[in-house]
Every structure is written in C-alpha cells, then in structure tokens.
Amino acid sequence: MKKHLYILFLLSVLFPVYGRSQQIAEQKIETVLSKMTIRERIGQLNQLDGRGIHGTVEQLKELVRKGEVGSLMNITDPKVINQLQEAACKESRTKVPLIFTRDVVHGFKTMLPIPLGQAATFNPDLIKEGARIAAIEATEHGIRWSFAPMIDISRDARWGRIAESFGEDSYLTGKMAVAVVKGFQGEDLSHPQSMAACLKHFIGYGAAEGGRDYNSTYIPERQLREVYLPPFKQAIEAGSASIMTSFNDNDGIPATGNKNLLRDMLRKEWEFDGVTLSDWGSVTEMIKHGFAQDRKHAAEIAINAGLDVEMSSKSFIQNLEKLIAEGKVPESVLNDAVRNVLRLKYKLGLFEQPYTDIHKPTETYSAKHLAVAKKVAEESVVLLKNDNKTLPLSSNIKSILITGPLADASHDQLGTWTMDGETDKTQTPAKAVASMYGDKVKIHFMPGLTYSRDKNQSSFDEVLRIAHSVDAIVVFVGEEAILTGEAHSLAGLNLQGAQSELIKQLKATRKPLVTVVMAGRPLTIGREIEQSDAVLYAWHPGTMGGPAIADMLFGKAIPVGKLPVTFPKGVGQIPIYYNHTNTGRPAKGNEKSIDEIPLNAKQSVLGHSSYYLDIGSKPLYPFGYGLSYTTFEYTDLKIDKTKLNKNDTLSVSLKIKNTGEYKGTEVVQLYITDIVGSVTRPVKELKGFERLELKAGEINTIHFNLPVSDLAFWNIDMKKTVEPGKFKVMVGTNSETGLEANFEVE
Ligand code: BGC
C-alpha cells in the first residue's frame, strides 16, 4: 500500500491534474478497503449469475447484504437491479455498490450485425456509434459492464466464435476494438450512460486447434506479440476498463492461471490498472485441464497469477480465506485485486450514483438507434459477385421471387449472442422488401425450406413454378444463428440441408439469380456462387438487416463492405489467411490441378511447391475483397521518398476514379511487405485503410501517412524494432490486388 501511494504521489508531482483526481480516488479506495473484513474483500471478487443458478433474487440479496458478492451478471430488469443495489448500498456493512454485467456483444435490444459483419464495414467511426447505442440501451436497463468486445484473432471459420470476432487481421481488429471501447465507455466512464468494456479473451482463444471450441492453442511468443496481443494493447491504451481471460491453455498454461501473461505482461509491461476477470468457470476448469488439483488449488493459482474477479465458479469465496490463513496467498495479492474492483466502481461513478434511473424516457429502439443499426448492416454487406450488373435490380424487373430459409428468419438474422434482441422487432428481408418496394415490383414469397438444415424438398416444385413466372429470383441462404457462436464449431462449411439443391434448381430456371448469404462465418460456397448471377454476403445482419438488404437489392444503398477474413475454397485449406509468412517454395499459381496429373507421373513433375493438389493455393476470396455496383480505377501511386530513416513518415498518394455508373465508396487498403528480416516476415500486412466516396466519373487523390515506426516487429532478439532494408508498399482494393512501390529504410 505504501508503494502504491508513493507512486501516486510521484504522479501528482509530475502531472498535477491527473494526480489530484486520481489520488483522491485512490485514497477513497484505501479508506473503503481498510474497513472491509477479509471475507468482504473476497466478496468483491465474486461474480455471480442472476438468472437463478446461483440463487433466487432474495437469496442473492442476502449474499449481497453479507458482502459476499461484488458483481452480478444477467439481470436486466432495472427495478430488480435497484433492489439488489439497495441491499448493497444501504443494507450491507461496507455499502460498496454492485456492478451489473451482461454480454452486450453486438447491441442490446437494437441488434447490430454480428461483429464479423461489423468488421466488414472497415468503418471504425460507425462501429463506435453502434457501440454507443448499445451502451445507451444497456445502461438504461442497469447494465454498466459489458463482456465485449471479443477481439480474438480468428483464422479458422470452423470455430463458431469467429462470428463474434473482427476477423483474421490484427490491424483491423485493433481499430474495431478501440472503436467499441470508446463507444461503450464514452467520454467519461462515470456518466450513467457509459458502460465498462471487457476485452476478451486473453489470449489466443481463436487459435483453438482444429477450430474446435475450447481446444488448446500453441502460439509462440513472437506470434502472440505480433498477431494476438496488439489489439488488446491498443484497446487498453484506449482505456478499456477490464479484460477477460480465455478458456484455452496456450502451450500448456491455461490463461486464467498464467502469471507471465497477467502479471508480467499485463500489469508490469502494459501498466494495466483495470480489472482482470475469468471467463465463466475458467478458474475451476483448470482442474479438468490438469493444471490444478482441486477448487482450492485452482483459486490459489488464479489469484496468484493475477486474476481479480472470478466469474461464476465461486472457488475464491469458498477458499481464499483459508489460503490466506495458510500463507499460500499473500493478503497483499487479495488487496490488489480488490483495489482493481473498487477502482472500477469509482470510475463508473457507482459510489455517487449506484441506481438506474427508471423514469428516464427510453431510447431503446429509438429511430436514431434503428438508423444506426441499418447503416451498420448496409455497410457490412459484401458484394462477392455481380455478373451482368444483375444488381441493383433494374427497373425492368416487375416481379421477383423471394425464397430461401433465411428470407424471413427473424431469430436467425440476429445472430449469436443476442441475449436481449427481440424477434418481433426484427425486420426481415422478406417483409422489408414487401413493405418498401412492394408498390414497384410484384413480390412472391415462398421460403422453400423452413430452416437452414431443412432437407425437406416437398415445396420445391411450387417454388420452381413461381420461379419460372417471375423476372428475377432472390434466394436467402446461410446458417441459423444456433450453428454459430460459442461451442458451435463445425467440421464442414458447406451450406446445410437442401439449400445447395434449392440454388441448383433455381439456377436451372435461367432467371437472374441473386443469392444473399446470411451466416456467422465464411462458408465454402464456391459452387453456389458459380450458379448465382450476383451474391451478397450479409452475415447475420441484426434487427435492421431486412431494410438494409432491401435497399441494396434495389440500389438505394451501394455495397461498400470488404471481407475481414479470407474465404477458403474448402475446409482443407484452413488455416488460410492473407498475412502468412512465405515458405521456401511458395505456390507459383500455375500448378497442375489434380485432373491434369499424367498417369504414372514421376514424383518431381508437379514442381514441389506449397499448394493442395485438389484445391490449389488460392482462397475463394482474399481478405479485403468486396465489389461495388460501381467500379474504381487506381492510378498514379506516388511515394514522397524512396529512402527513409527510422523517424521518417512515408507519404503515399494515389488517384482513384469512379469508372462506373453509380456513386460509391471504396475502402482503399494499404499493405506493406518487409522483404528481408532477422525472422521471416508476413508476405503482406495491412497498415492502413481509408474510405473515399466518389460520384460516377469523379476522380480524387487519396493520401496515407505511414510512419516508419509502424514497420517495427519482434525481431530475432524479441525486441520490437524496425530493421533497415527494403520494403514494398501496396495500395489496393483488396489484399491481392493493388499498385506497388518500393522504398528502403536506412
Ligand atoms: C463466454 C464469454 C462470456 C461469458 C459470460 C462464456 O461462456 O466464453 O465470452 O462473456 O460466458 O456470459
């Protein structure tokens, strides 16, 4: 404690304003702490669930009065929240308020697209707005701590939780993470509409072997630091109030018991002063991992490793008193953890205003919130294909068939982690197209299949009869929300049920066929894309998915989304991601396919390069890919210097022309390649993106500033350094296509 106050004293001398308010807060924390018994302190670290599994509301109140609970999950009735808060603030000895928590992952009631869809917008400002509305709606219901954003780098579409992620790239994920933190937490965390963010899952959970949820990971330190950690670090620098440990063991150490990670890196190296929280039961799951003997041992490992709050598994409240008495857990370790929790409560302003104002007019589902949700949904849609300018539907089209199991799936389009989303508020494409465009086109609706896994083709004949009679067909396929998310990994990524067959039969009508995919992950839909004239990838687009897609079909909205994750041709290509390192024998692109291999071919005729005989080396679509209804031409790439020193900034400019017929926005992406390093370097790395809106025919110049310091990486000596040498910069429309220039760092 003395050391603590000394640091604060130093801070206040060096930075008087920061020092003063911080010092007052820390003094208050010390005062509160000094009045608490050991058991009451442990209570602050105990997070329980309010849905009944840990007792009725009355039983929870009793625990709160005794000071045995610090935060409560999953209660969303502000009246109940206020009652429990009263038990804490008026009826407990310590009067320390509770925090109420929830997984507000992509919206509270007004659901935004799933995070993977949000990442496809490449629009952090918009995502910040989305997070803001989520915070406004959640705090109105008493929630002040959200378990989001999930910023696990996800390179494996089999993993169901890829839906909750911002995709495969650290740079993009970092930008989105910061946007969500700022949107949730607002300008001032103590404002009643601000909600603490929780970065999860620390660390490496998305690299679960085989894409099977909860599986072990094997990420070496360099890759952790290069790929998995940067978004967490950036979001912490942006002020994230908390961080959640992950379920997985990385290289043999479960994250919840990883002292190097939680103490050495997070606290010492990054100077994080927020709360560390376990995942649900991840403290006692260390027993199943074979890392702890029993619950008591698990508690000892976790708190000594640097975990503050235990979610749901109660081993702290049951064992820490004994562990402290036995000298296995120093009291100072307990006190530090409690300080972190009290600090969060102070920052949230809960000591001054613990209650939720239930008389405040509601903003939930306000027109503004629905408009933001629609905008995010629009910008998340990725146009994968548009042969013969099938989209937007031309004014010559007088009748359409809307079909497919996802056309009117109010539950599924909300996606995974929609704890509070309501299907009766969901606007589906089938209904939206009818209500918004029903006066312009005759609309027939017949789903053909009732849900994505449905194999019953009995209504196909009727669907096809209508299909033959209309001018165009829009088929909504994909996956149900339940096939994505936590513990919903898949070994195969083809369309489920009879959806492929439906597309095949619709294609046979020779009517213009637009396929809209609503899914929580990349699906291996190469064949269905070939059979379609146009394809929109709409993810699970949330409450306003219907109007967003309707406007896109009819040209009122123009696609702008780009893929935040590489789409594999087949599951066997996974892991496949754009920023891999090179082999000594990279694929050349002209490899023989399996059908071209001559009979009795000699071992060497295939050329010894790194690819799959049956599906090659290329993905179905690369990271960053996405078309528009218009087209863009990139010319005149210029860099201001070709030789730079380590303190310089490279200025990059180029011209972009809208060469099509519609106004459109292009997400222009900047990638670099470090040609030679003391360790092998990724073939490409995203280092910037900018949006440019252009009218048809308009031309404009776009600028990027790339500080040389952004070229730093964890070198052979595990130091973050810019190594002198040759680099390439590419600016383009996706990670595979662009204009290039070379420069050198001296
Ligand atoms: C998930 C977390 C989530 C927690 C609380 C866990 O199963 O892994 O992401 O925040 O439950 O709902």
Side-chain angles (χ1 to χ4, degrees), residues 540-601:
H540 286 140
T543 306
M544 294 299 285
I549 293 167
D551 275 349
M552 198 151 278
L553 293 172
F554 289 90
K556 195 161 169 224
I558 311 280
V560 52
K562 300 277 188 178
L563 296 179
V565 60
T566 304
F567 270 44
K569 281 185 189 154
V571 163
Q573 286 180 318
I574 296 173
I576 184 166
Y577 49 93
Y578 84 95
N579 51 354
H580 58 87
T581 49
N582 235 342
T583 69
R585 296 180 177 186
K588 299 182 193 89
N590 60 354
E591 284 80 9
K592 283 198 169 41
S593 82
I594 198 159
D595 297 324
E596 295 165 327
I597 303 173
L599 193 64
N600 298 328

Side-chain angles (χ1 to χ4, degrees), residues 47 49 51 73-74 101-103 105 146-148 150 152 161 164 198 200-201 205 213-214 244-247 277-281 285 311 417 419 486:
Q47 180 168 104
D49 191 279
R51 288 171 295 190
M73 308 169 65
N74 296 324
T101 75
R102 185 79 159 166
D103 289 88
V105 174
S146 168
F147 301 144
M150 189 195 101
D152 294 312
R161 301 197 80 167
E164 286 174 62
C198 183
K200 67 190 194 185
H201 304 85
Y205 181 34
D213 208 0
Y214 313 126
M244 184 190 294
T245 59
S246 55
F247 288 125
L277 164 74
S278 79
D279 201 343
W280 181 283
E285 283 176 17
M311 185 198 291
W417 276 125
M419 303 186 91
E486 185 175 349

Side-chain angles (χ1 to χ4, degrees), residues 85-139:
Q85 197 64 290
E86 249 183 55
C89 297
K90 294 191 180 149
E91 297 157 25
S92 79
R93 208 186 61 81
T94 61
K95 315 264 180 291
V96 175
L98 295 161
I99 317 184
F100 293 87
T101 75
R102 185 79 159 166
D103 289 88
V104 185
V105 174
H106 55 111
F108 184 71
K109 294 262 183 202
T110 304
M111 297 310 301
L112 302 158
I114 53 167
L116 193 60
Q118 294 187 33
T121 67
F122 276 66
N123 190 346
D125 292 342
L126 182 61
I127 297 320
K128 183 176 158 195
E129 258 188 87
R132 190 74 222 118
I133 68 162
I136 290 170
E137 295 192 359
T139 54

Side-chain angles (χ1 to χ4, degrees), residues 558-559 628 630 632 658 662-666 692-696:
I558 311 280
S628 171
T630 191
F632 300 100
N658 181 339
Y662 296 87
K663 181 177 87 174
T665 297
E666 171 75 328
L692 187 63
E693 187 182 295
L694 294 171
K695 294 193 206 83

